[in-house]
Amino acid sequence: VWTNSTRELTNYGNNLSAADVWNALTSTLTTTNSIGKLLRDNIDTTITSRAATSSVTGWSTTLTSSASVQVNSTYRTKLTVKNAQGFTATPYSAPTITVYDAARNIVASSIPMTSISTGVYEYTYSVPTNAAQGVWESVVVTQVESGQTVNNNDYWLVAGSPAQVI
């Protein structure tokens, strides 16, 4: 296409002017196997579907809590919700938490967490004296957009009083 000594653009067989390049691509958007149709079908569809997904996956949630709690004490957990820009943001609906004891029994079911500031939620649970000792689990469900949820879970230990040695 280019000659080395003169740097001139020569005809390479299709007789298109610079202005005709754009017309050729747009006019072939429906012609089978044309570059225009292949680009429209294979690239645009992929980019469009990624954009829809990224707006949901752009949301992030972080769940933090105590690693262990003594019986007859308070378990405290905090959830931070961030939007695609990385700022704390209010989700579509308040996050809910379900707490399972060491035997996988539900001790708190789908309880709405308390909002303490924009995009920050808290939940406290008073661990009873007779609570089963062992590893407990908290599962938080956050609907960040209508029909789009983010799930978090956290394992924590419930410990009883040590044995009394006399």
Side-chain angles (χ1 to χ4, degrees):
V1 173
W2 290 95
T3 60
N4 289 336
S5 62
T6 60
R7 294 282 186 209
E8 291 180 7
L9 183 60
T10 58
N11 184 336
Y12 55 97
N14 67 2
N15 295 326
L16 289 176
S17 69
D20 289 335
V21 169
W22 301 114
N23 295 334
L25 287 175
T26 57
S27 67
T28 60
L29 288 177
T30 58
T31 305
T32 304
N33 293 328
S34 69
I35 191 164
K37 179 142 175 63
L38 292 171
L39 284 171
R40 190 192 71 188
D41 292 349
N42 297 317
I43 305 241
D44 184 47
T45 301
T46 303
I47 291 171
T48 303
S49 64
R50 272 193 211 136
T53 302
S54 67
S55 67
V56 173
T57 58
W59 288 84
S60 65
T61 56
T62 305
L63 186 65
T64 57
S65 70
S66 305
S68 65
V69 178
Q70 287 289 117
V71 294
N72 205 28
S73 296
T74 302
Y75 164 75
R76 183 179 308 276
T77 189
K78 188 182 291 186
L79 180 79
T80 304
V81 180
K82 292 186 178 181
N83 62 17
Q85 291 75 35
F87 299 108
T88 54
T90 304
Y92 184 76
S93 62
T96 59
I97 187 167
T98 299
V99 178
Y100 297 88
D101 69 9
R104 248 354 237 173
N105 298 311
I106 295 175
V107 295
S109 180
S110 298
I111 307 295
M113 296 180 77
T114 303
S115 175
I116 57 175
S117 66
T118 301
V120 181
Y121 296 83
E122 180 181 59
Y123 175 76
T124 59
Y125 175 74
S126 296
V127 180
T129 304
N130 63 348
Q133 295 181 42
V135 178
W136 288 40
E137 182 183 16
S138 298
V139 176
V140 176
V141 177
T142 308
Q143 188 173 12
V144 292
E145 294 177 3
S146 179
Q148 303 297 325
T149 60
V150 178
N151 298 318
N152 292 82
N153 73 314
D154 181 44
Y155 294 99
W156 46 286
L157 183 67
V158 171
S161 300
Q164 183 178 5
V165 179
I166 298 179

